[in-house]
Amino acid sequence: EPYRQRFGFIAERLRRTRAALTGGAAARTGGYPDAAALDHELEEIQAALIADGLGRVAWGEVADLRWQLGTFGFHLASLEIRQHSAVHRTALMAIAEAAADEAGPTELAPGVTLDEVLATFRAIAAVQARFGEAACHRYVVSFTLAASDVTDVLSLARHAAGDDAGAGEGEGAAAALDVVPLFESFDALRDAGRILRELLADPDYRVHLAARRDRQEVMLGYSDSNKESGFLSAAWLLHEAQSELVATARDYGVELTLFHGRGGAIGRGGGPTNRAI
């Protein structure tokens, strides 16, 4: 009975949490501030069950619930944002030159405006404010060619947070981001180690990375490298790039995660995964 009452209390707090997240009229106080708070309660219940000799329940259904919570949190799935490095460079140039015009949006690339780029960062901040950072924190930079292509993203995030024009929900704080450079061209894969070394040698970026627990993710592009260089050359470029990236991360004491952008067809990096990696 005490456990039944405790789970009933948790169920009510979850109902209030859902109402607060959806922002409906039924939103009330008393929900969980984040998924970690719920997990803390479940951990207490699990310990109590074990102390009462009910280990089968503690390590069965309660453990399953905690695993689901750890996997999905209050956000279900993490969204990934991706944009071309040239768009970011052009956006910063437009800002520096005060090119934005109240009469109409500034187009940075076909179909992409400065307002849209800045609104994207505000949307990330809004999602994080409502569902937690885990809901959206990876920002992939397509066609990364230099360390500045990564730092440009952080500059735009700060600008979006401090710019009142078009500001909406989530304004006032820059989105917490893990910026993921995508190396996919011949030149980028050849220079991947050098680019990462320059990035990690940047004192300002290291301050940012320290706040991200010194973890850096890098994406490797298989389809564009295959189309540009051919399957065999691309495979060798990817092999060499990985070796250089790992060595660089080790030298700087950074935990590196490699994200392999591989498709199913040979032209998109398909084939035996163990041989490709």
Side-chain angles (χ1 to χ4, degrees):
E1 179 62 20
Y3 291 112
R4 188 192 68 78
Q5 291 183 13
R6 184 69 180 272
F7 276 115
F9 178 75
I10 289 174
E12 175 58 26
R13 289 196 71 186
L14 279 172
R15 279 191 288 270
R16 292 174 180 235
T17 302
R18 175 177 290 179
L21 289 175
T22 56
R28 292 175 290 173
T29 59
Y32 290 101
D34 51 40
L38 171 56
D39 188 61
H40 180 69
E41 279 206 66
L42 295 176
E43 185 179 25
E44 287 183 343
I45 291 174
Q46 196 173 42
L49 285 166
I50 294 169
D52 283 343
L54 299 170
R56 178 176 293 182
V57 178
W59 299 116
E61 292 177 309
V62 177
D64 286 344
L65 182 57
R66 291 190 67 194
W67 288 335
Q68 289 178 49
L69 181 65
T71 301
F72 303 112
F74 290 157
H75 62 278
L76 180 64
S78 186
L79 301 178
E80 168 196 298
I81 306 298
R82 189 182 302 197
Q83 184 56 275
H84 199 291
S85 59
V87 170
H88 300 142
R89 286 194 294 271
T90 309
L92 287 173
M93 289 173 57
I95 292 169
E97 297 169 2
D101 187 322
E102 291 184 4
T106 301
E107 192 169 67
L108 306 175
V112 182
T113 65
L114 176 59
D115 287 347
E116 178 189 337
V117 170
L118 296 178
T120 298
F121 288 101
R122 296 190 190 105
I124 296 171
V127 168
Q128 291 181 351
R130 174 170 289 188
F131 300 105
E133 184 183 310
C136 184
H137 61 94
R138 287 186 179 86
Y139 196 109
V140 179
V141 186
S142 299
F143 285 92
T144 297
L145 298 173
S148 60
D149 291 336
V150 175
T151 55
D152 283 352
V153 173
L154 300 177
S155 297
L156 285 167
R158 289 191 293 268
H159 184 85
D163 187 353
D164 291 333
E169 183 182 0
E171 183 224 352
L177 296 175
D178 291 306
V179 187
V180 182
L182 169 50
F183 300 120
E184 48 193 328
S185 66
F186 176 91
D187 292 339
L189 288 170
R190 181 195 59 196
D191 299 335
R194 177 187 60 78
I195 294 170
L196 182 62
R197 190 171 295 275
E198 290 179 5
L199 185 62
L200 298 182
D202 182 335
D204 291 335
Y205 187 74
R206 285 312 300 266
V207 171
H208 163 77
L209 207 60
R212 311 304 297 167
R213 296 180 292 177
D214 277 325
R215 294 178 175 176
Q216 177 66 55
E217 185 168 331
V218 170
M219 182 175 177
L220 300 170
Y222 283 66
S223 60
D224 282 283
S225 57
N226 274 332
K227 287 182 283 187
E228 181 182 14
S229 305
F231 180 76
L232 183 60
S233 295
W236 179 250
L237 281 168
L238 288 158
H239 172 77
E240 289 288 280
Q242 289 172 81
S243 298
E244 289 292 324
L245 290 167
V246 169
T248 300
R250 185 179 293 120
D251 289 345
Y252 282 86
V254 169
E255 181 181 333
L256 178 69
T257 298
L258 294 174
F259 171 17
H260 298 271
R262 300 177 68 245
I266 291 293
R268 297 190 62 84
T273 304
N274 63 314
R275 294 186 184 179
I277 294 176

